[in-house]
mmCIF file of all heavy atoms in Angstrom:
data_model
loop_
_atom_site.group_PDB
_atom_site.id
_atom_site.type_symbol
_atom_site.label_atom_id
_atom_site.label_comp_id
_atom_site.label_asym_id
_atom_site.label_seq_id
_atom_site.Cartn_x
_atom_site.Cartn_y
_atom_site.Cartn_z
ATOM 1 N N SER A 5 -13.023 22.051 -4.529
ATOM 2 C CA SER A 5 -12.289 21.417 -5.606
ATOM 3 C C SER A 5 -10.931 22.091 -5.754
ATOM 4 O O SER A 5 -10.860 23.276 -6.044
ATOM 5 C CB SER A 5 -13.068 21.528 -6.917
ATOM 6 O OG SER A 5 -12.321 20.992 -7.973
ATOM 7 N N VAL A 6 -9.876 21.304 -5.509
ATOM 8 C CA VAL A 6 -8.524 21.826 -5.648
ATOM 9 C C VAL A 6 -7.826 20.993 -6.716
ATOM 10 O O VAL A 6 -7.564 19.809 -6.516
ATOM 11 C CB VAL A 6 -7.742 21.725 -4.312
ATOM 12 C CG1 VAL A 6 -6.335 22.255 -4.470
ATOM 13 C CG2 VAL A 6 -8.490 22.458 -3.219
ATOM 14 N N PRO A 7 -7.563 21.585 -7.863
ATOM 15 C CA PRO A 7 -6.927 20.808 -8.927
ATOM 16 C C PRO A 7 -5.475 20.477 -8.580
ATOM 17 O O PRO A 7 -4.829 21.204 -7.834
ATOM 18 C CB PRO A 7 -6.988 21.747 -10.136
ATOM 19 C CG PRO A 7 -7.056 23.121 -9.547
ATOM 20 C CD PRO A 7 -7.780 22.968 -8.235
ATOM 21 N N LEU A 8 -5.006 19.357 -9.096
ATOM 22 C CA LEU A 8 -3.597 19.017 -8.948
ATOM 23 C C LEU A 8 -2.759 20.068 -9.652
ATOM 24 O O LEU A 8 -3.169 20.635 -10.660
ATOM 25 C CB LEU A 8 -3.308 17.647 -9.570
ATOM 26 C CG LEU A 8 -3.850 16.439 -8.826
ATOM 27 C CD1 LEU A 8 -3.670 15.187 -9.666
ATOM 28 C CD2 LEU A 8 -3.153 16.283 -7.499
ATOM 29 N N VAL A 9 -1.578 20.307 -9.130
ATOM 30 C CA VAL A 9 -0.674 21.271 -9.744
ATOM 31 C C VAL A 9 -0.253 20.773 -11.126
ATOM 32 O O VAL A 9 -0.134 21.531 -12.068
ATOM 33 C CB VAL A 9 0.560 21.490 -8.843
ATOM 34 C CG1 VAL A 9 1.598 22.345 -9.539
ATOM 35 C CG2 VAL A 9 0.132 22.132 -7.535
ATOM 36 N N SER A 10 -0.052 19.495 -11.227
ATOM 37 C CA SER A 10 0.297 18.912 -12.516
ATOM 38 C C SER A 10 -0.504 17.633 -12.690
ATOM 39 O O SER A 10 -0.922 17.030 -11.711
ATOM 40 C CB SER A 10 1.797 18.619 -12.589
ATOM 41 O OG SER A 10 2.146 17.664 -11.612
ATOM 42 N N PRO A 11 -0.719 17.209 -13.913
ATOM 43 C CA PRO A 11 -1.492 15.988 -14.118
ATOM 44 C C PRO A 11 -0.761 14.773 -13.541
ATOM 45 O O PRO A 11 0.456 14.688 -13.608
ATOM 46 C CB PRO A 11 -1.599 15.866 -15.637
ATOM 47 C CG PRO A 11 -0.912 17.027 -16.226
ATOM 48 C CD PRO A 11 -0.291 17.832 -15.146
ATOM 49 N N ALA A 12 -1.523 13.886 -12.952
ATOM 50 C CA ALA A 12 -0.965 12.655 -12.412
ATOM 51 C C ALA A 12 -0.956 11.603 -13.512
ATOM 52 O O ALA A 12 -1.783 11.635 -14.419
ATOM 53 C CB ALA A 12 -1.803 12.187 -11.231
ATOM 54 N N ALA A 13 -0.017 10.675 -13.421
ATOM 55 C CA ALA A 13 0.099 9.631 -14.437
ATOM 56 C C ALA A 13 0.169 8.262 -13.769
ATOM 57 O O ALA A 13 0.925 8.070 -12.824
ATOM 58 C CB ALA A 13 1.349 9.859 -15.284
ATOM 59 N N ARG A 14 -0.614 7.326 -14.272
ATOM 60 C CA ARG A 14 -0.559 5.946 -13.778
ATOM 61 C C ARG A 14 0.479 5.189 -14.604
ATOM 62 O O ARG A 14 0.490 5.258 -15.825
ATOM 63 C CB ARG A 14 -1.914 5.275 -13.901
ATOM 64 C CG ARG A 14 -2.923 5.891 -12.972
ATOM 65 C CD ARG A 14 -4.168 5.025 -12.817
ATOM 66 N NE ARG A 14 -5.176 5.733 -12.057
ATOM 67 C CZ ARG A 14 -5.191 5.832 -10.735
ATOM 68 N NH1 ARG A 14 -4.250 5.259 -10.035
ATOM 69 N NH2 ARG A 14 -6.133 6.499 -10.113
ATOM 70 N N THR A 15 1.328 4.463 -13.882
ATOM 71 C CA THR A 15 2.371 3.687 -14.542
ATOM 72 C C THR A 15 2.837 2.612 -13.571
ATOM 73 O O THR A 15 2.165 2.350 -12.566
ATOM 74 C CB THR A 15 3.541 4.609 -14.996
ATOM 75 O OG1 THR A 15 4.464 3.846 -15.772
ATOM 76 C CG2 THR A 15 4.244 5.272 -13.828
ATOM 77 N N THR A 16 3.950 1.983 -13.837
ATOM 78 C CA THR A 16 4.555 1.034 -12.910
ATOM 79 C C THR A 16 6.029 1.365 -12.748
ATOM 80 O O THR A 16 6.637 1.981 -13.630
ATOM 81 C CB THR A 16 4.431 -0.431 -13.396
ATOM 82 O OG1 THR A 16 5.126 -0.571 -14.633
ATOM 83 C CG2 THR A 16 2.981 -0.851 -13.553
ATOM 84 N N TYR A 17 6.566 0.958 -11.614
ATOM 85 C CA TYR A 17 7.996 1.054 -11.331
ATOM 86 C C TYR A 17 8.445 -0.300 -10.814
ATOM 87 O O TYR A 17 7.683 -0.976 -10.115
ATOM 88 C CB TYR A 17 8.283 2.089 -10.239
ATOM 89 C CG TYR A 17 8.424 3.503 -10.721
ATOM 90 C CD1 TYR A 17 7.305 4.281 -10.992
ATOM 91 C CD2 TYR A 17 9.676 4.084 -10.873
ATOM 92 C CE1 TYR A 17 7.428 5.592 -11.412
ATOM 93 C CE2 TYR A 17 9.807 5.394 -11.300
ATOM 94 C CZ TYR A 17 8.692 6.140 -11.563
ATOM 95 O OH TYR A 17 8.826 7.437 -11.978
ATOM 96 N N PRO A 18 9.678 -0.684 -11.091
ATOM 97 C CA PRO A 18 10.206 -1.894 -10.455
ATOM 98 C C PRO A 18 10.304 -1.666 -8.943
ATOM 99 O O PRO A 18 10.663 -0.565 -8.501
ATOM 100 C CB PRO A 18 11.591 -2.072 -11.065
ATOM 101 C CG PRO A 18 11.693 -1.089 -12.173
ATOM 102 C CD PRO A 18 10.633 -0.072 -11.997
ATOM 103 N N LEU A 19 10.001 -2.683 -8.177
ATOM 104 C CA LEU A 19 10.050 -2.560 -6.723
ATOM 105 C C LEU A 19 11.392 -1.999 -6.260
ATOM 106 O O LEU A 19 11.445 -1.141 -5.370
ATOM 107 C CB LEU A 19 9.789 -3.929 -6.076
ATOM 108 C CG LEU A 19 9.910 -4.000 -4.561
ATOM 109 C CD1 LEU A 19 8.971 -3.017 -3.878
ATOM 110 C CD2 LEU A 19 9.654 -5.429 -4.093
ATOM 111 N N GLY A 20 12.474 -2.442 -6.854
ATOM 112 C CA GLY A 20 13.797 -1.993 -6.454
ATOM 113 C C GLY A 20 14.071 -0.525 -6.720
ATOM 114 O O GLY A 20 15.061 0.022 -6.222
ATOM 115 N N ALA A 21 13.219 0.134 -7.488
ATOM 116 C CA ALA A 21 13.412 1.553 -7.811
ATOM 117 C C ALA A 21 12.582 2.471 -6.926
ATOM 118 O O ALA A 21 12.579 3.683 -7.113
ATOM 119 C CB ALA A 21 13.059 1.799 -9.281
ATOM 120 N N LEU A 22 11.871 1.892 -5.948
ATOM 121 C CA LEU A 22 11.014 2.691 -5.072
ATOM 122 C C LEU A 22 11.709 2.944 -3.739
ATOM 123 O O LEU A 22 12.219 2.022 -3.103
ATOM 124 C CB LEU A 22 9.679 1.981 -4.853
ATOM 125 C CG LEU A 22 8.843 1.799 -6.110
ATOM 126 C CD1 LEU A 22 7.611 0.961 -5.815
ATOM 127 C CD2 LEU A 22 8.455 3.148 -6.700
#
Side-chain angles (χ1 to χ4, degrees):
S5 176
V6 179
L8 288 171
V9 173
S10 63
R14 293 195 187 279
T15 187
T16 62
Y17 274 80
L19 175 58
L22 297 174

